[in-house]
Each structure stands twice: as C-alpha cells, then as structure tokens.
C-alpha cells in the first residue's frame, strides 16, 4: 500500500463516505424512533396479515413486528440499507479506477515510483475503508438509538451485529466485482453500466424469486439471496457458509482486478 496515496484519496472521498454514513445512520434512527408508535398497533398487524405471504417475504415483512430487531430488519435492512450501500460501492469503485483511466489521470499515479499492483491495492483499500466506515457508523447508530430513543423496547445486539456483519461481507463482494469492472475497462460509463447492471439483475432475481415460487430458483444466482436480515433477526440463519462465500467472492474479485490491471495495456 502507498500511504501517501491512501491518505490523499481519503481526503478526496472523505466527504462522500461521511455523507453516506450519516444518511444511513439517520434513516436507521428514524425507523427505530417510529417503532414505539406502531409496536402495539393492532391495525398494522391486521394489515400485514391481509397481505400476500410472498409479497411480505419479498420486502422482509414476513417476520412481522414482534420486536425491534425484526422491525429494523424488515423496514431498513431489507431495502434502504441495500440501496445506500449498493450506490456507494458502484459509484466509488468507478471513481477510484475507471474515471482515472478514462480521463488519463491514472498516468500521474503510474509516473510515481509505485507498481501498478500497489496503486490498485491502495485504491481498493480506500473503497473498503468507506464500506467499513458506513456499516460501523450504522451499527453504532442502531445500538445507541435503541438505547436512547426506545429504551422500553430492547434490540438484540448480538443478532443486530450479525446482521451488519453479513451486510458488510455482502458489499465487500459487490464492491469487489464493481472494482473489477472499473479496473479492466477504459470507459467510465461502460464500467458504471456493468457494475450497476449486474447489481440490478442480482436484486431483480432475488425479488422475483421471492414473489413467484415457480421461479424461486432465480435466487440461487443472486448475491442478495445470501443476505436475509429477517431470518438473522429471528436467529434462524446459518451464517458461516454465507460469510465464507461472500468473503471468497470478494477476495477473488479484488485479486483478479489488481492482477489484470497490473498487466493490461492502458491508452494514456
């Protein structure tokens, strides 16, 4: 790693990381804060019972609102968390590699006495630092919010931390293939399209697989199927195989990106 480059890139992307972190924490605190007003609402429970089971499953509401942990899993981690982190991974990976290659700015980095592998590895660390920071601040916000805002309703900290850990590994994997696309193409828009397209397809496969039993097999080819916050909140998820799979996919993607970037021809 080149520490000077790492420090400079953190300065460039620091505001973005902070913005996503605050945004994620704010939305989570908002959801935690409204829980007491609907926790004992019979009307809400009745409404959920009237909805199709597949629809509830698709949007993480099949666990109901039995406790704060399940409510947060369904209302935040099943959609908003995925949306926020997906956008961060795709956009930042694109800015760290593809944009520099497309605009020729990578030439300034390559002119320094640093190998291509070291430069790519440093850029990857900047991306991962952002993901870890966003998830960490979100986790702290959730625990603190449950303690200060809704002290009468307990948050299962162990399950909540597990939920965030699996989420972290999911976006380690997503950021991995986003970084890979950004490192192997010359065009910024093409890299962005590939990353966003693959992520969108994964999400659609998972969503459609939940909604229709006949095509449930589509979930087998979606990364998002590995992240099941509702099941984690209930303590029913088998996390070890999922964590190993997501970590392995992320590592392979980053390693391939760094190796290919170090050997490819660049039109600069």
């Amino acid at each position: 790693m080149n520490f000077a480059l790492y420090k400079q890139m953190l300065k460039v992307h620091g505001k973005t990381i902070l913005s996503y972190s605050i945004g994620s924490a704010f939305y989570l605190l908002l959801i935690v804060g409204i829980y007491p007003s609907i926790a004992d609402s019979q009307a809400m429970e009745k409404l959920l019972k009237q909805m199709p089971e597949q629809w509830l499953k698709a949007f993480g509401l099949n666990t109901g609102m039995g406790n704060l942990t399940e409510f947060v899993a369904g209302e935040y981690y099943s959609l908003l968390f995925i949306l926020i982190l997906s956008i961060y991974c795709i956009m930042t990976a694109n800015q760290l590699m593809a944009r520099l290659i497309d605009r020729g700015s990578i030439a300034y980095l390559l002119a320094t006495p640093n190998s291509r592998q070291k430069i790519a590895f440093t850029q990857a660390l900047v991306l991962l630092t952002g993901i870890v920071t966003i998830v960490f601040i979100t986790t702290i916000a959730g625990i603190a919010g449950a303690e200060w805002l809704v002290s009468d309703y307990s948050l299962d900290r162990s399950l909540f931390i597990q939920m965030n850990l699996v989420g972290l590994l999911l976006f380690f994997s997503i950021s991995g293939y986003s970084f890979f696309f950004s490192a192997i193409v010359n065009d910024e828009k093409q890299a962005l399209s590939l990353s966003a397209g693959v992520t969108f397809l994964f999400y659609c496969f998972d969503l459609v697989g939940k909604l229709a039993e006949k095509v449930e097999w589509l979930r087998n080819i979606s990364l998002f199927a590995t992240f099941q916050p509702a099941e984690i909140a209930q303590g029913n998820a088998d996390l070890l195989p999922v964590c190993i799979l997501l970590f392995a996919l992320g590592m392979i993607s980053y390693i391939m990106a760094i190796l290919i970037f170090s050997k490819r021809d660049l039109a600069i």
Side-chain angles (χ1 to χ4, degrees):
M1 181 186 79
N2 183 289
F3 183 74
L5 176 60
Y6 177 77
K7 184 178 179 181
Q8 179 60 33
M9 285 298 170
L10 279 185
K11 287 182 179 180
V12 173
H13 295 277
K15 290 183 179 179
T16 299
I17 294 172
L18 184 61
S19 297
Y20 278 92
S21 299
I22 293 175
S24 179
F26 173 78
Y27 282 119
L28 179 57
L29 289 174
L30 182 63
I31 289 172
V32 169
I34 66 174
Y35 179 69
S37 64
I38 63 173
D40 302 318
S41 173
Q42 295 182 354
M44 184 63 70
E45 287 293 340
K46 184 178 180 180
L47 177 63
L48 290 176
K49 289 180 180 179
Q50 293 176 345
M51 293 180 179
E53 184 178 349
Q54 292 300 114
W55 191 91
L56 293 175
K57 181 181 178 182
F59 294 97
L61 300 174
N62 54 309
T63 59
M65 301 179 184
N67 58 59
L68 179 58
T69 310
E70 293 177 358
F71 179 72
V72 166
E75 296 296 325
Y76 182 71
Y77 284 89
S78 293
L79 181 59
L80 284 175
F81 179 75
I82 290 174
L83 180 63
I84 292 171
L85 268 295
S86 293
I87 293 174
Y88 170 79
C89 289
I90 294 168
M91 298 301 296
T92 306
N94 189 68
Q95 293 168 6
L96 285 168
M97 292 297 289
R99 177 171 295 181
L100 298 181
I101 296 172
D102 188 17
R103 300 182 180 184
S105 303
I106 195 72
Y108 296 103
L109 297 180
L110 297 178
T112 63
N114 294 291
S115 66
R116 287 191 181 189
Q117 289 188 6
K118 182 178 288 188
I119 291 172
F121 181 72
T122 303
Q123 299 292 78
L125 281 182
V126 174
L127 176 58
L128 291 175
T129 298
I131 297 172
V132 171
T133 301
I134 295 169
V135 174
F136 177 76
I137 291 178
T138 301
T139 305
I140 296 301
I143 294 174
E147 186 69 26
W148 298 336
L149 299 177
V150 291
S151 56
D152 292 337
Y153 301 90
S154 62
L155 177 75
D156 191 316
R157 294 187 180 183
S158 176
L159 294 177
F160 182 69
I161 291 173
Q162 290 176 37
M163 200 184 305
N164 282 278
L165 176 61
V166 178
L168 175 64
L169 290 173
L170 169 66
F171 289 103
F172 171 63
S173 183
I174 291 175
S175 68
Y177 69 68
S178 298
F179 190 80
F180 173 79
F181 290 135
S182 293
I184 67 171
V185 301
N186 292 327
D187 185 78
E188 178 184 355
K189 292 182 179 179
Q190 183 182 4
L192 186 61
S193 298
L194 286 170
S195 301
V198 170
T199 304
F200 181 72
L201 281 176
F202 278 154
Y203 185 76
C204 287
F205 288 159
D206 184 52
L207 182 61
V208 173
K210 289 177 180 178
L211 288 172
E213 292 184 0
K214 292 184 179 179
V215 291
E216 191 172 2
W217 58 268
L218 285 173
R219 299 192 69 212
N220 296 328
I221 53 177
S222 171
L223 277 182
F224 290 108
T226 62
F227 183 52
Q228 303 178 37
E231 283 72 14
I232 296 174
Q234 292 181 320
N236 297 328
D238 187 7
L239 300 183
L240 183 58
V242 169
C243 291
I244 292 174
L245 173 64
L246 292 174
F247 181 77
L249 289 175
M251 285 296 296
I252 291 172
S253 297
Y254 276 108
I255 290 172
M256 290 293 293
I258 293 171
L259 290 178
I260 292 176
F261 175 76
S262 66
K263 296 179 180 180
R264 61 177 295 225
D265 292 329
L266 295 173
I268 55 177

